[in-house]
Amino acid sequence: MKSKNYLFVDNQRSYQSPSSSVIANERDEAWVKNQREFIYKSGKRASIRKRLAFQCDTSRIGRIWELFDAILSAMFVFLYIWNTRYVKLDSSEEAFPFILQTADFILATLILIQYIPHIWLDKEPFQYTFNIFSILTWISVFPVIAAYILTIFDDVMDNTYMGAGILVYIYPIRFARLHWAVQIVFAPVKSSLFKLSKVMRKGIRLVTAILFTFLTVTAFIHLVTFKQSENKVDENISFSDAFFFTVLSSTNGMSTDLIPDSAFTRAVILYVMLAGALYIPTALSELLTLIQERSKYNHSYKGEIYKEHIIVTGDFDSTSLFEFLREFFCLDHGLATMNTYVVIMHPDEPDEEIVEFLEDPAFVTRVQYIKGTPTWRRSLEKIRADTASAAFLLTKKFSKNGDEDDANQIMRALAIKKYNRKLHIYSQVNLPENVPHFDFLAKDVICIDEITMGLMAQSLVIPGFASLVVLLTTSVTDDTVRNLIRSAKKKPELNWAIEYVRGIKHEIYAVTFSEAFIGKTFLECSELIYSRLGAVLFSIGIYRFTKGCFPNSQLGSDTSPFQIFLNPRNYKIKGNEIGFVICDNAEVTAKMATFNENSRRWYDVTYIAKSAHNLFNRGNRNSKSSKLKSTAPLRPFTQVKIDADDEDDLSDLEDPDIPLIPLCNVKSDEEILRKNLKKAAANIIESEDHEIKDITDHIIICDQSKDFPENLDIFISVLREKNSTCRDMPVIILSNGKPSDTQKRVLKEFGQVYIIKGSPLRRRDLVRVKVNYAKKCVVLSDSSNSEKLYTNADAASLMVALNIESLTNDCYVLVECIYRETFKMIGESDSVKNNEEDYIQALMRPSFMAGNVFTPSNLDTMLCQCFYNRHIPLIMKCLVFSHEIDDKMISPKIERQLNHEWEDLRVDSGHLFCVDVPSHHIGNTYNDLYSYLIKEHQAVPLGLYRCVTHRSGPHNYIYVNPDWDTIVNNSDKVYLIASKLPKFTSNSTE
């Protein structure tokens, strides 16, 4: 490869980077090479064997296979019981039919044939060959196959089923195999074929365990009694008699004729009984206690040389851990998913929920839970931290004592780093002021409070922003998308949901640039990539070692040699940059690296794949477009409904008698609104809160916790960003907590920030802060409720949302939830009926589609993405905190993405906007809109924020990276990245 001098050139001047020295040049070359290898690894497809194995472990295909295996095993057992009718050697009895011999042989062969692929698909075929279930399989089928072959040389089998000599003693093993197979079928896995409650599932497994234990013992008793009485025809017993004897003996005990005939023997028996009555219970109790206290998670990780493994530790619950593992083992991540083992370390025993999902086939061979703490060297030795690829430190999303939790997190990071200095650490922390402690400890740090506050604030500026970020950092498989589309097509009124489902598959991928892009501007490359590959190039990352930079700093910090720029417009590609694209397929990484501008053919597969689904629906699409032109104005918050019905039963949703609380601007609603306001304002003193007496079009932050919320300066800082459409809006904070003098001073410096003591749970206090004149409201959750069950943890937040809804008819509302299960209670229930996992059901809630809900638990997927795309946290921070270098409104707690050392590059970084589509492009294709925005306004579109009529009311949803031939409607808004607000609209509406 030709050596590069890394000149950063623009139209006015050129800049010679410090790579002129040999050492710096080698360092830069090594960095670029490392990034290319990382991106290549992330986009590399796994082998067919690994993909099939992962598909079987994570999908219903594997569960169907397990059910088929259990059915064959059950038939094998039933045939054995039937064949026991032909065990006597008496010539008067009926001979063993040849058809039954053949059926036994065929079943054994089928079980063997269908089981062998399991060995081929397993990661460790040799070990799998000798696990318990495999051994039961071999022992069950080989004697039958061998006995059938022996009939060729021996006629004994023609007369009796028990004529195979010592091989018959192995026949009853098939009962044990059936027991194991049934236990697998009814295991609590996410893709189970049987939707049973936990109690029902455990009950079935217990009953079947008892039944098959009786049957196995019965088979051995019947076999032994037959062999002992082969020459005593009258003493043979049937299988049913043996089963009756076994059950009766287990309940009533075995009778005996032995009677002690002397005083000595009687004394011995009495002594044994008394000693047993006194000693055995105590000793047995101590033994059982020791057994119970002995943890099966005190073992060590036995890793193989060729297998990569990562460590997951910290302070987490079952929800956080499941979110992380689900994202980590998503099939879309390619080869890295198949070859990486996850070792979880925690000082406590796993709770029942964690144990349950760790038994899922998707995790059972890929995840290991080990008791221990990273601050103890012996525990680090147990998890092989010296050979691990990365360590992920999770933390609570709602911490009662953030400083204490962050101190523990720092201890974990220090202990791991001291043990293995080369180990990459990715960590979560609670408070932004503690992030600098990780500058030289962690590769990436996600601050829960910082990102949560930033995402919610930016969602007030840009409707649906939080949902957009979650969709871009959450992986959804092709099978899930197909199932959701299939469900949506069953109902014609849900055609609009098909667009949303197609959009949720898009993610952010890091790519390298081929020689075809070198010399082109960023916008030229973005247009070319979209037209040819259907991917949106919206950002690039540049590595440049300047004064004050440290190679080991966190990516994106002001001391890092790597910085990200959103839509740098006229920047010319050199070939050593990292590009970031939004696409629905990881193969874009390979296509970008080998892209040739002149290689397009008329039969371009990418274009056909993106447009084929619309080819025969052009008429329907156009008719739908004409209908949408008369759609009602955008409704930011449709309705709040407490839905107590079964979420899988959607038939009741269309019942007109179900009471809903619609937010439609009609006369009846206005009358109800006036009555509600009159009641709420009955006890308000006019002199109260005089400073906000005439305030209108403002933002209300509702906090129902006892303490004043921390880090609100980050929230206000995002609203006051130079390009924010909410920059001049007054902000009222309604809270029962009393802010400190420092908090008051910091918040007042932003201007037009008012703190009112009160509770949003009371409508009177909401009227005091002029909620009926407010433009936007955000409802913060109460962290003290995080330890409650999801059934009532968000009850207060829902109450606040209902209060706001009853007092206003035109207010954008964003609700922070502790649990994603609460999404279904805000707005309507599922728009698309599905049997997918909980996280998919959460993504399909109308409240999430419109961007009216958010939960910090989604940040676990963002941390997980670092393993596959280490730049994800930095990109998200750039989108959330797009403050310019000279912006004085940025909070000191926010890590600046750029420093003044980068100014001489003259590379602009854009901002995200959401604006109405240009009127002259209504009715045109999205491809035309994309080209127009790039050429005329130097803006890069990311997707649409659409509004449709659903169940007689407006409904909003996000459409990420729409298809080329999507028709633009007059109610659409477009997400775009530009240096300033495009001139075709005066402002971005909410």
Side-chain angles (χ1 to χ4, degrees):
M1 182 178 69
K2 184 179 179 180
S3 61
K4 295 181 176 63
N5 199 24
Y6 299 134
L7 287 174
F8 296 91
V9 184
D10 56 74
N11 294 332
Q12 283 76 29
R13 58 179 293 185
S14 64
Y15 175 79
Q16 176 71 42
S17 74
S19 61
S20 54
S21 67
V22 175
I23 296 177
N25 189 55
E26 290 178 351
R27 180 189 58 230
D28 292 351
E29 289 285 355
W31 185 88
V32 173
K33 181 180 179 181
N34 177 267
Q35 294 298 306
R36 290 183 179 275
E37 290 177 351
F38 180 82
I39 293 172
Y40 173 76
K41 176 183 175 182
S42 300
K44 188 177 179 182
R45 288 177 63 85
S47 64
I48 295 178
R49 181 177 70 87
K50 291 180 178 179
R51 278 183 283 160
L52 286 175
F54 196 82
Q55 187 78 6
C56 290
D57 286 343
T58 58
S59 69
R60 294 172 70 88
I61 295 175
R63 310 294 79 75
I64 293 173
W65 191 354
E66 292 168 354
L67 180 62
F68 177 69
D69 187 357
I71 292 173
L72 288 179
S73 193
M75 294 172 64
F76 202 34
V77 164
F78 294 150
L79 187 60
Y80 173 88
I81 297 174
W82 181 263
N83 288 343
T84 55
R85 299 175 59 193
Y86 306 96
V87 297
K88 298 183 179 181
L89 294 176
D90 188 4
S91 58
S92 63
E93 298 291 334
E94 183 181 357
F96 183 35
F98 178 73
I99 190 172
L100 294 180
Q101 299 178 37
T102 306
D104 209 26
F105 170 76
I106 291 174
L107 282 175
T109 305
L110 285 175
I111 291 174
L112 181 63
I113 291 174
Q114 66 85 29
Y115 190 75
I116 288 176
H118 283 283
I119 302 173
W120 177 71
L121 291 174
D122 196 77
K123 285 184 176 181
E124 301 169 355
F126 181 79
Q127 293 185 12
Y128 190 85
T129 304
F130 295 100
N131 67 19
I132 297 178
F133 193 47
S134 296
I135 292 174
L136 291 176
T137 302
W138 310 138
I139 297 177
S140 298
V141 301
F142 280 135
V144 176
I145 296 174
Y148 188 79
I149 296 174
L150 289 176
T151 58
I152 302 174
F153 309 99
D154 191 350
D155 294 336
V156 176
M157 278 286 292
D158 293 337
N159 298 324
T160 175
Y161 183 52
M162 300 296 183
I166 61 173
L167 292 178
V168 298
Y169 287 103
I170 309 177
Y171 282 6
I173 297 298
R174 68 183 71 187
F175 288 89
R177 187 187 189 279
L178 175 59
H179 173 213
W180 202 278
V182 171
Q183 297 294 304
I184 292 175
V185 169
F186 288 101
V189 299
K190 60 184 178 181
S191 53
S192 176
L193 297 175
F194 305 99
K195 301 297 180 181
L196 304 173
S197 66
K198 187 179 296 185
V199 174
M200 179 65 72
R201 194 182 299 274
K202 287 189 175 182
I204 292 175
R205 297 182 75 180
L206 177 62
V207 170
T208 53
I210 296 173
L211 174 62
F212 292 131
T213 300
F214 278 137
L215 289 174
T216 305
V217 174
T218 298
F220 277 109
I221 291 176
H222 176 261
L223 178 63
V224 170
T225 55
F226 167 76
K227 286 296 184 180
Q228 289 178 346
S229 58
E230 270 187 312
N231 299 322
K232 302 175 183 179
V233 178
D234 294 337
E235 296 186 13
N236 283 324
I237 62 172
S238 66
F239 189 89
S240 59
D241 294 335
F243 182 75
F244 177 78
F245 171 78
T246 303
V247 175
L248 193 63
S249 298
S250 65
T251 56
N252 295 332
M254 300 285 288
S255 59
T256 177
D257 296 330
L258 297 177
I259 301 175
D261 54 359
S262 66
F264 175 76
T265 56
R266 292 176 182 177
V268 170
I269 292 174
L270 287 174
Y271 172 78
V272 171
M273 292 175 63
L274 290 173
L278 296 174
Y279 174 74
I280 291 179
T282 305
L284 185 60
S285 176
E286 292 176 355
L287 178 61
L288 291 176
T289 301
L290 290 174
I291 292 174
Q292 290 176 354
E293 290 179 352
R294 182 182 179 183
S295 174
K296 66 177 182 179
Y297 302 102
N298 277 330
H299 43 245
S300 300
Y301 167 65
K302 306 295 183 182
E304 289 77 19
I305 298 177
Y306 62 87
K307 184 181 292 185
E308 199 173 8
H309 80 282
I310 67 165
I311 300 166
V312 178
T313 186
D315 193 352
F316 52 79
D317 55 16
S318 58
T319 300
S320 293
L321 186 59
F322 179 75
E323 284 290 327
F324 183 92
L325 294 177
R326 180 205 57 75
E327 179 64 36
F328 190 87
F329 287 111
C330 183
L331 193 59
D332 283 3
H333 292 310
L335 184 63
T337 295
M338 315 297 178
N339 291 338
T340 307
Y341 202 90
V342 176
V343 179
I344 302 168
M345 183 169 63
H346 197 273
D348 300 327
E349 291 279 324
D351 60 33
E352 190 173 353
E353 289 186 32
I354 294 178
V355 172
E356 188 173 290
F357 72 70
L358 288 182
E359 291 177 353
D360 192 287
F363 303 140
V364 70
T365 60
R366 299 175 176 88
V367 181
Q368 186 175 0
Y369 190 103
I370 297 176
K371 282 186 67 175
T373 173
T375 56
W376 192 23
R377 186 177 182 86
R378 187 173 178 181
S379 294
L380 294 175
E381 292 173 353
K382 287 169 60 178
I383 61 175
R384 298 291 302 275
D386 56 325
T387 61
S389 303
F392 293 86
L393 310 184
L394 304 180
T395 191
K396 295 177 181 177
K397 305 306 175 293
F398 296 93
S399 176
K400 296 180 180 178
N401 193 334
D403 285 318
E404 183 179 341
D405 290 337
D406 286 350
N408 293 332
Q409 200 77 315
I410 293 171
M411 279 288 292
R412 298 183 189 105
L414 276 171
I416 294 173
K417 204 67 175 179
K418 289 286 186 182
Y419 186 81
N420 183 358
R421 292 185 176 274
K422 296 181 180 180
L423 185 62
H424 292 169
I425 297 177
Y426 303 94
S427 179
Q428 293 175 340
V429 296
N430 285 284
L431 303 179
E433 53 263 34
N434 294 325
V435 172
H437 296 304
F438 291 85
D439 277 348
F440 298 97
L441 290 176
K443 199 76 174 176
D444 273 303
V445 175
I446 293 180
C447 179
I448 304 300
D449 274 16
E450 179 186 20
I451 298 297
T452 298
M453 287 294 177
L455 280 174
M456 290 194 295
Q458 199 65 271
S459 294
L460 299 185
V461 180
I462 302 169
F465 178 80
S467 296
L468 176 65
V469 168
V470 172
L471 291 178
L472 292 176
T473 56
T474 302
S475 301
V476 182
T477 62
D478 292 335
D479 286 342
T480 299
V481 171
R482 282 193 290 267
N483 292 336
L484 291 173
I485 291 177
R486 193 179 302 115
S487 298
K489 287 182 176 178
K490 293 179 180 178
K491 294 186 177 181
E493 68 274 14
L494 294 179
N495 282 336
W496 58 268
I498 297 176
E499 291 184 337
Y500 172 79
V501 172
R502 288 199 178 103
I504 66 176
K505 194 177 185 306
H506 289 266
E507 298 178 62
I508 297 175
Y509 296 97
V511 297
T512 55
F513 294 96
S514 70
E515 294 182 357
F517 296 106
I518 297 177
K520 288 183 169 60
T521 65
F522 175 86
L523 289 173
E524 290 173 343
C525 293
S526 182
E527 185 179 15
L528 179 62
I529 292 169
Y530 181 77
S531 63
R532 295 286 296 275
L533 302 178
V536 178
L537 175 68
F538 69 97
S539 176
I540 60 169
I542 300 175
Y543 179 87
R544 172 179 178 241
F545 198 88
T546 63
K547 182 180 179 181
C549 291
F550 299 94
N552 295 325
S553 298
Q554 294 176 37
L555 288 179
S557 66
D558 56 3
T559 60
S560 173
F562 181 81
Q563 298 292 344
I564 282 180
F565 299 87
L566 303 175
N567 182 15
R569 299 189 297 168
N570 297 322
Y571 173 83
K572 291 188 177 180
I573 301 299
K574 315 296 184 300
N576 62 312
E577 303 88 350
I578 302 298
F580 299 100
V581 300
I582 296 175
C583 190
D584 62 355
N585 198 315
E587 292 181 359
V588 70
T589 56
K591 293 179 180 178
M592 283 285 294
T594 59
F595 184 84
N596 184 351
E597 188 176 0
N598 300 320
S599 63
R600 185 170 183 175
R601 300 289 187 271
W602 67 269
Y603 51 84
D604 193 315
V605 176
T606 305
Y607 183 84
I608 294 174
K610 291 282 286 184
S611 298
H613 65 271
N614 292 322
L615 186 60
F616 299 103
N617 295 325
R618 179 70 65 181
N620 295 334
R621 183 180 291 272
N622 290 335
S623 62
K624 182 168 62 174
S625 173
S626 62
K627 292 180 181 179
L628 287 175
K629 290 182 181 181
S630 60
T631 300
L634 172 69
R635 289 298 311 167
F637 191 64
T638 54
Q639 58 188 354
V640 175
K641 186 186 77 167
I642 309 301
D643 189 356
D645 296 333
D646 184 1
E647 62 184 39
D648 291 330
D649 184 8
L650 301 182
S651 59
D652 292 341
L653 294 178
E654 299 177 3
D655 188 347
D657 295 329
I658 292 181
L660 298 178
I661 309 177
L663 279 177
C664 300
N665 191 10
V666 295
K667 292 183 178 180
S668 58
D669 288 340
E670 291 179 355
E671 185 177 346
I672 294 174
L673 176 62
R674 283 194 297 270
K675 290 181 179 180
N676 290 337
L677 288 170
K678 186 176 180 180
K679 290 179 180 179
N683 297 321
I684 295 179
I685 303 174
E686 291 192 9
S687 60
E688 200 173 11
D689 310 318
H690 62 277
E691 62 180 346
I692 60 170
K693 180 179 179 181
D694 300 321
I695 202 168
T696 58
D697 293 336
H698 53 289
I699 297 172
I700 301 177
I701 301 175
C702 300
D703 173 56
Q704 74 266 19
S705 59
K706 296 180 181 179
D707 300 321
F708 192 81
E710 295 187 65
N711 300 311
L712 279 182
D713 53 322
I714 296 177
F715 191 100
I716 307 297
S717 179
V718 174
L719 298 179
R720 295 292 187 257
E721 191 267 329
K722 186 181 295 185
N723 295 277
S724 170
T725 57
C726 299
R727 181 180 179 86
D728 300 321
M729 283 188 179
V731 178
I732 300 178
I733 303 170
L734 179 62
S735 175
N736 257 332
K738 183 180 180 181
S740 64
D741 293 338
T742 302
Q743 287 176 317
K744 286 182 180 180
R745 179 180 55 80
V746 170
L747 294 175
K748 291 293 183 181
E749 287 179 355
F750 289 102
Q752 297 191 81
V753 177
Y754 308 95
I755 302 173
I756 304 298
K757 184 175 178 58
S759 172
L761 292 169
R762 295 195 297 267
R763 293 198 290 181
R764 173 187 179 276
D765 290 337
L766 285 172
V767 172
R768 286 173 52 208
V769 295
K770 306 294 182 180
V771 69
N772 51 314
Y773 296 105
K775 197 72 173 176
K776 304 167 188 287
C777 287
V778 60
V779 181
L780 303 182
S781 60
D782 186 355
S783 60
S784 63
N785 295 331
S786 59
E787 296 181 359
K788 294 182 180 180
L789 295 175
Y790 71 86
T791 52
N792 58 2
D794 289 311
S797 297
L798 287 173
M799 185 66 178
V800 174
L802 285 168
N803 285 342
I804 296 172
E805 182 185 39
S806 67
L807 298 173
T808 183
N809 60 6
D810 188 17
C811 182
Y812 183 91
V813 182
L814 175 67
V815 183
E816 181 190 20
C817 302
I818 296 176
Y819 294 102
R820 63 187 175 197
E821 286 81 2
T822 309
F823 292 1
K824 68 181 178 182
M825 299 183 183
I826 299 176
E828 296 182 2
S829 294
D830 292 337
S831 58
V832 178
K833 186 176 181 179
N834 65 88
N835 294 319
E836 301 293 334
E837 300 175 51
D838 290 342
Y839 87 99
I840 288 295
Q841 294 180 15
L843 298 184
M844 296 305 297
R845 305 295 181 188
S847 55
F848 178 85
M849 294 181 184
N852 292 119
V853 290
F854 172 74
T855 176
S857 64
N858 291 323
L859 299 182
D860 292 317
T861 62
M862 188 184 299
L863 183 70
C864 176
Q865 288 269 3
C866 295
F867 187 75
Y868 303 104
N869 187 349
R870 61 184 59 159
H871 313 97
I872 284 291
L874 179 55
I875 295 172
M876 293 302 107
K877 290 178 183 178
C878 288
L879 289 171
V880 176
F881 309 110
S882 57
H883 299 73
E884 297 178 1
I885 297 176
D886 59 347
D887 194 340
K888 296 181 181 180
M889 285 297 181
I890 187 171
S891 170
K893 297 178 182 178
I894 301 174
E895 185 78 33
R896 288 185 180 270
Q897 304 306 304
L898 297 174
N899 57 36
H900 290 280
E901 296 291 337
W902 290 78
E903 288 183 340
D904 52 9
L905 276 181
R906 297 189 179 180
V907 180
D908 295 330
S909 187
H911 312 272
L912 183 64
F913 299 97
C914 184
V915 298
D916 292 323
V917 297
S919 58
H920 56 280
H921 269 275
I922 295 174
N924 293 345
T925 64
Y926 183 79
N927 187 35
D928 294 336
L929 177 63
Y930 193 101
S931 180
Y932 167 77
L933 291 174
I934 282 186
K935 292 178 179 178
E936 300 299 328
H937 296 278
Q938 296 187 319
V940 177
L942 303 185
L944 297 175
Y945 188 67
R946 316 202 81 171
C947 181
V948 296
T949 301
H950 179 57
R951 290 178 182 157
S952 303
H955 173 67
N956 306 316
Y957 66 95
I958 299 166
Y959 189 7
V960 181
N961 190 15
D963 297 328
W964 284 302
D965 51 357
T966 299
I967 301 300
V968 178
N969 303 315
N970 72 331
S971 60
D972 288 344
K973 295 178 180 298
V974 57
Y975 294 108
L976 54 85
I977 297 177
S979 59
K980 59 182 180 180
L981 199 65
K983 294 181 179 179
F984 56 78
T985 182
S986 59
N987 58 4
S988 67
T989 56
E990 296 74 36

